[in-house]
Amino acid sequence: MTGKRSAGLLLFRHTDDGLQVLLGHMGGPFFARRDAGAWTVPKGEYEPDEPAWDAARREFQEELGLAPPDGDAVALGEVRQTNGKIVTAWAIEADLDPATVVPGTFRMEWPPKSGRVQEFPELDRVEWLGLDRAREVIVTAQSAFLDRLAEHSA
């Protein structure tokens, strides 16, 4: 296997305003002041011996602090991000209150070369977004997942 792989779950719901998806804003100092390109499907990396589906469910739990919802999963396939990472995603129709999210955290040296290690949330906020708004802010390659979901939901 070459390159890193991630897997995730894209929750969606139908509202009076149309289809909405649940995206997370990436945490940490690199994304703090960014909007466009800083939102993602809740996902995470996995090793070659772990099935992508299992990884997607595990990462949902780790990223959001909530059990992944049950339901019929719609395979959204794979995309390759500009960093070379291959992301696999599934969509599940479910509702979730973003206020209940307890994000996982990561540690990194910040500021760089300061010797200080700080802890940051994996996702600093989670929101339901309509497809047009989601396309404006999601990691560019992941917009294909939105298109595939829209085709499935048509």
Side-chain angles (χ1 to χ4, degrees):
M1 179 177 95
T2 59
K4 294 181 178 178
R5 299 185 72 89
S6 283
L9 299 179
L10 177 63
L11 299 192
F12 70 96
R13 66 183 184 184
H14 295 276
T15 71
D16 292 342
D17 295 326
L19 192 62
Q20 292 184 334
V21 293
L22 186 76
L23 296 181
H25 184 270
M26 291 182 268
F30 298 122
F31 299 99
R33 300 190 195 290
R34 290 183 52 196
D35 198 39
W39 292 77
T40 183
V41 171
K43 62 171 181 46
E45 292 181 9
Y46 64 98
E47 296 299 322
D49 60 344
E50 183 179 16
W53 170 250
D54 293 347
R57 294 181 59 78
R58 175 181 52 75
E59 286 294 334
F60 186 93
Q61 175 92 42
E62 288 179 14
E63 297 261 323
L64 302 181
L66 302 170
D70 293 322
D72 294 331
V74 177
L76 299 177
E78 296 180 343
V79 299
R80 181 181 298 274
Q81 298 183 161
T82 55
N83 63 4
K85 183 182 288 183
I86 296 172
V87 180
T88 306
W90 288 266
I92 297 179
E93 186 168 6
D95 204 354
L96 178 151
D97 179 356
T100 63
V101 169
V102 181
T105 60
F106 68 96
R107 296 172 60 83
M108 67 180 281
E109 182 181 13
W110 190 260
K113 301 179 183 171
S114 67
R116 288 188 19 216
V117 175
Q118 295 188 51
E119 190 170 63
F120 299 97
E122 295 273 354
L123 300 172
D124 59 22
R125 61 190 182 276
V126 175
E127 293 180 19
W128 286 103
L129 303 171
L131 288 183
D132 289 342
R133 175 71 179 136
R135 281 187 185 95
E136 294 173 1
V137 298
I138 198 167
V139 172
T140 304
Q142 293 181 29
S143 66
F145 295 142
L146 303 178
D147 297 339
R148 295 170 191 166
L149 176 61
E151 288 173 17
H152 170 78
S153 298

